[in-house]
Amino acid sequence: MKIGKPLLTACMFALVVTLMMIWLPHAAWQRIGKHDDVAVFRAVPAVRLTNSNLVDVLISIQLNERLKKIEWNSGILSVEMRVSTNSGRPVIWFGDVAKLVRVSFLQLENVGRVLIRFVEERPDGEVLLAAVDVRKTDEWLISEMNQLPLADPVHDELWRKRLRVSFTTAWEERFGKAEGFSVKPTSNLQR
């Protein structure tokens, strides 16, 4: 009978510990969220870009062209878009630029620069067509951001300068030289 009482006490203690281990997570769950949705399934827009949410942010933009390479490093978002030789038009490509710039500088607070490259797939390899470089410090972002979706950087010098668009000889071979009119903002017109 000397072994019976300590054995009974040990079994009771084990039972109490087991029940507490079952009950504690359930109690914590009720106290923390009252069974709210798990954050993964809640539509919460990203405010800061990180390596963890980079893919989610870019998927939410719903770009027209395929992404070949994405890099996030020290406030610089680098995006390489793969465009087909047979399909795609610059208007659509620069529509994607407008979406990327808008999200990067209006929604995300930690993006300081966006670099975008358009790479064409060819049978003999890939060729760079054009590159875009937009910085958070660009003054036009404050006043002209709403005009960006309507912009034509291929023909409009002002937008080419604002977006720092560089066209390669491969672009000129496919589309011709990027030149044309220049539209000045109405605030700069002289009467």
Side-chain angles (χ1 to χ4, degrees):
M1 196 75 180
K2 291 183 179 182
I3 289 182
K5 193 171 183 180
L7 184 60
L8 183 61
T9 305
C11 287
M12 291 300 282
F13 181 73
L15 181 64
V16 169
V17 169
T18 304
L19 290 174
M20 286 190 65
M21 289 178 71
I22 293 171
W23 176 76
L24 280 176
H26 181 69
W29 176 263
Q30 286 182 346
R31 186 186 55 196
I32 290 173
K34 298 286 183 191
H35 295 291
D36 281 345
D37 293 337
V38 178
V40 173
F41 301 108
R42 227 182 291 152
V44 178
V47 178
R48 296 185 59 78
L49 190 62
T50 64
N51 285 326
S52 301
N53 68 0
L54 181 62
V55 173
D56 295 331
V57 169
L58 291 175
I59 286 173
S60 72
I61 297 174
Q62 298 180 355
L63 300 171
N64 295 305
E65 295 301 325
R66 292 182 303 162
L67 298 178
K68 178 183 178 216
K69 181 180 174 186
I70 305 160
E71 191 174 316
W72 170 244
N73 190 9
S74 301
I76 300 173
L77 175 62
S78 301
V79 177
E80 197 165 289
M81 297 183 144
R82 181 181 291 163
V83 296
S84 173
T85 306
N86 301 330
S87 63
R89 297 185 337 239
V91 173
I92 294 171
W93 303 342
F94 285 104
D96 285 348
V97 169
K99 291 176 185 178
L100 282 165
V101 168
R102 177 174 287 285
V103 167
S104 296
F105 299 125
L106 292 182
Q107 178 182 329
L108 303 169
E109 62 185 29
N110 63 333
V111 177
R113 189 173 185 185
V114 177
L115 303 172
I116 304 166
R117 295 168 39 111
F118 295 102
V119 178
E120 181 180 56
E121 298 174 328
R122 291 187 177 175
D124 57 338
E126 296 177 339
V127 177
L128 178 66
L129 293 176
V132 175
D133 178 1
V134 184
R135 300 169 190 167
K136 192 171 196 161
T137 56
D138 292 342
E139 292 181 18
W140 68 267
L141 287 172
I142 298 168
S143 59
E144 302 294 324
M145 179 68 87
N146 292 334
Q147 299 302 317
L148 183 56
L150 305 173
D152 181 7
V154 176
H155 299 103
D156 187 345
E157 276 182 54
L158 181 64
W159 281 105
R160 254 194 319 274
K161 288 178 185 175
R162 285 177 175 171
L163 296 173
R164 291 181 194 85
V165 180
S166 302
F167 296 104
T168 64
T169 54
W171 176 281
E172 292 178 2
E173 289 170 4
R174 181 170 173 187
F175 298 108
K177 190 167 175 70
E179 60 184 357
F181 64 89
S182 179
V183 177
K184 306 259 185 215
T186 55
S187 61
N188 291 344
L189 290 176
Q190 296 177 354
R191 293 183 183 238

